[in-house]
Amino acid sequence: MQVQTSDGSEATTGRHGRRRPGRPRTVALVAAVALALTAACSWGTAPDGGGTTAPSASASAAPVGPVVQAPPPASVVTGDDVRAALTTSSTLLASAPVVVVAPGGDVAATLTAASAAVAVGAPVLLTADGADVAGELDRLGATHVLTVGDVPADALPAGAVVVAVAPGADADALAAATGATFGAPVPVAAGDEAAAVRALEGPEPAVLLADDAPAADPAATAAATPPTGTADTLPATAPVTADGVVALADGPVPPAAAATLRALGVAVLDVPGGDPRATSATVQAVASADPTAVIAYGDAFGTSELLAARVATARTGVELPGGGQLVFPAVAGQPGKKYVALYGTPGSGALGVLGEQDVPATIARAEQHAAPYRDLTADTVVPAVEIIATIASGGPEADGSYSRKRPVEDLRPLVDAAGAAGQYVVLDLQPGRQDFVTQAQAYADLLALPHVGLALDPEWRLAPDQVHLRQIGSVGIDEVNATAAWLASFTRERGLPQKMFVLHQFSLRMITERERLDTSHDELAPLIHVDGQGSQPAKAGTWATLRAGAPPVHWGWKNFYDEDVPMLDPAQTYQVQPVPDLVTYQ
């Protein structure tokens, strides 16, 4: 079993090739624990001459406990309970003098092991073919092993002192074996094991019992226990807390792994869908926990590098309009988002309805346009403004670009007012003869705001010998992808929520080789905005043409007040299939 770490390395759970922690502090602590054990214990020969007797602890012996190591910023754990238990131990612990071991696949034994582990603050490991439990026990420096059920002899390292209990052992039997105190028994129905273990609380955890398990048979357990070293009770233990570590779960955490988490005081946060940015609840839970490291359970979390970046964003607690940090969240049982926007530039009614009124009235009008859509969908409808930041011009401008750039300070009042009102902002670029990357970078101060995305308008992207209105502009896909890469990097480096990345299009030739659009950036939500105008049959034809063979993106629709014949009302707009994720009015 391997676990990916956010530094690109792999931590294994085998005896060989293990990535060992190299922290002098940890080494010193391990040495101190070993010295304390040596000073506190005396060893003798078993009466039958085989193996060793349990060490006799002096009354003043200091309690022993595990040593937590600093895990990578993010680790993703996959696999069954056996593998997950091994990986959890190897990720979080540098050493553990006391370990609990049970046979994999034995539900009753796993539940008993979980209760015992939480009581004494020890990890749980499960045996199975191919699982190098002995190697992990050796790495941990385990001197005492509490076995629950039929644990094979070759799963235990030579010299380990064994304390045995039976699966389904009651509180008295567990107390005698561990020296700990336990709460009341709790029957656990089949399928509820993960939740029951996750609910365990020290220092007096409940005794979990499988509903359909047979009564405990201590004699059978004793007979199955390897006689390499026996004792009646574990040494006194001192549980520790893995400070700064938080577990994330997309579904149940495998019970043995969950027991180790509970034994180390690691909180578990539910992250449905595996993206902590997806909902307001998960963002705020991560922000409140403010972890230095996370260990996540489930394939949905992706790679450790991906998870580390997502957690870094969630830790900021900054949310997008409509909640969460994703432009278009898709979590089962949770509403998605749709946007309704005004298009234009402040102070100019000639370029769209956005500029027909002052800033407060624009904010109010954006809300008025969005309101009717809320009765048409279960998704959250977010008002928005799409601001033309660079305007196509008939002349070359001072820099020869044929693009007039609105100063950032001219746009900021509307951008700030929209953010304060819970509205989204898209900055639209009409670059003329300048490239999109250069123009986007000029608005970095506004793009650094969490509620501001970016739109590229290829209609107004000119070749060196072209001028506006003599032909329809176009852009090559490499320039689009370069802009997306810059925006994604910009967003990731600042821990910003995901950004909407809009491509305006009403003709296939406006974006050459569109099929090569890079949609892999986790920081961006790409959307193709269909800008066709005129009769509704013509607009429907444009919609169908642009969707054919398109890359995997979201879709936007534009309603023109003056050019559409007729302009669709909200109900008619949402009859377009698929239902547009962004509707703009111009």
Side-chain angles (χ1 to χ4, degrees):
M1 176 65 184
Q2 294 180 326
V3 56
Q4 294 178 316
T5 64
S6 61
D7 61 4
S9 62
E10 291 182 331
T12 66
T13 55
R15 182 190 298 268
H16 304 294
R18 179 173 307 281
R19 179 172 59 80
R20 295 181 180 272
R23 298 162 60 233
R25 179 170 65 89
T26 297
V27 173
L29 285 170
V30 174
V33 170
L35 181 62
L37 284 171
T38 301
C41 303
S42 61
W43 295 80
T45 302
D48 60 2
T52 57
T53 62
S56 56
S58 82
S60 61
V64 298
V67 174
V68 176
Q69 64 187 357
S75 305
V76 178
V77 180
T78 58
D80 61 15
D81 201 9
V82 174
R83 273 69 188 174
L86 277 166
T87 306
T88 301
S89 173
S90 65
T91 301
L92 298 180
L93 291 172
S95 66
V98 175
V99 181
V100 182
V101 180
D106 187 332
V107 173
T110 299
L111 292 176
T112 300
S115 296
V118 173
V120 301
V124 175
L125 300 177
L126 301 179
T127 60
D129 290 343
D132 190 8
V133 171
E136 178 64 3
L137 290 169
D138 179 62
R139 185 192 72 86
L140 292 171
T143 58
H144 291 71
V145 178
L146 177 68
T147 62
V148 184
D150 189 6
V151 175
D154 60 4
L156 303 177
V161 178
V162 176
V163 179
V165 296
D170 61 18
D172 290 340
L174 287 176
T178 64
T181 303
F182 293 83
V186 173
V188 179
D192 292 343
E193 295 86 4
V197 173
R198 180 170 163 177
L200 287 173
E201 293 285 351
E204 298 182 9
V207 177
L208 301 182
L209 301 172
D211 262 354
D212 56 355
D217 184 0
T221 298
T225 300
T228 56
T230 58
D232 294 329
T233 306
L234 295 175
T237 57
V240 300
T241 299
D243 292 328
V245 180
V246 169
L248 308 179
D250 173 36
V253 177
T260 299
L261 296 176
R262 299 308 303 130
L264 298 177
V266 175
V268 181
L269 305 180
D270 290 309
V271 183
D275 190 338
R277 305 170 302 168
T279 68
S280 180
T282 55
V283 168
Q284 294 309 317
V286 172
S288 178
D290 194 23
T292 57
V294 297
I295 180 168
Y297 295 83
D299 293 323
F301 289 98
T303 66
S304 56
E305 292 81 6
L306 177 67
L307 178 60
R310 289 174 169 181
V311 169
T313 299
R315 283 180 63 189
T316 68
V318 175
E319 298 192 40
L320 291 173
Q325 295 178 330
L326 298 183
V327 175
F328 300 110
V331 178
Q334 297 288 329
K337 287 186 197 174
K338 297 193 181 301
Y339 298 78
V340 177
L342 303 183
Y343 181 87
T345 197
S348 174
L351 296 177
V353 296
L354 181 148
E356 293 179 349
Q357 56 282 307
D358 63 12
V359 167
T362 297
I363 297 300
R365 192 172 183 182
E367 168 58 29
Q368 291 164 4
H369 277 69
Y373 287 87
R374 297 194 177 108
D375 295 331
L376 305 173
T377 178
D379 290 338
T380 300
V381 176
V382 179
V385 290
E386 184 170 352
I387 304 171
I388 307 173
T390 64
I391 305 168
S393 59
E397 300 297 328
D399 58 2
S401 66
Y402 284 78
S403 178
R404 180 166 61 87
K405 301 172 183 64
R406 298 292 308 270
V408 168
E409 54 267 26
D410 286 359
L411 305 182
R412 189 176 288 277
L414 179 54
V415 171
D416 289 346
Q423 299 184 4
Y424 198 74
V425 175
V426 180
L427 300 181
D428 185 69
L429 303 179
Q430 300 178 355
R433 295 182 181 179
Q434 199 165 42
D435 66 90
F436 280 116
V437 176
T438 299
Q439 287 215 330
Q441 291 171 341
Y443 292 91
D445 286 351
L446 296 180
L447 290 169
L449 299 173
H451 65 291
V452 178
L454 185 67
L456 311 186
D457 209 339
E459 176 185 3
W460 308 108
R461 175 67 171 96
L462 300 176
D465 59 346
Q466 292 178 333
V467 296
H468 293 302
L469 301 180
R470 293 185 185 176
Q471 66 285 303
I472 297 172
S474 65
V475 66
I477 194 61
D478 290 335
E479 184 174 323
V480 173
N481 286 340
T483 309
W486 173 81
L487 184 61
S489 178
F490 181 90
T491 302
R492 180 175 59 257
E493 290 169 358
R494 287 156 180 77
L496 294 168
Q498 196 177 53
K499 290 190 177 296
M500 192 183 297
F501 183 61
V502 179
L503 302 178
H504 286 282
Q505 190 175 25
F506 58 81
S507 170
L508 286 173
R509 64 177 179 268
M510 288 170 58
I511 305 175
T512 59
E513 298 185 88
R514 189 187 64 167
E515 67 276 6
R516 292 201 295 111
L517 176 67
D518 186 354
T519 60
S520 66
H521 298 294
D522 193 56
E523 301 82 7
L524 306 182
L527 179 145
I528 293 178
H529 198 281
V530 180
D531 288 354
Q533 59 181 259
S535 71
Q536 290 306 322
K539 287 172 68 80
T542 300
W543 179 262
T545 297
L546 292 178
R547 281 183 43 75
V553 296
H554 294 268
W555 290 90
W557 175 276
K558 183 173 283 188
N559 284 327
F560 289 86
Y561 274 98
D562 298 329
E563 290 83 5
D564 283 357
V565 185
M567 188 181 81
L568 300 182
D569 64 25
Q572 293 169 329
T573 301
Y574 269 11
Q575 288 173 6
V576 174
Q577 294 299 317
V579 176
D581 294 303
L582 169 64
V583 177
T584 61
Y585 283 85
Q586 183 172 350

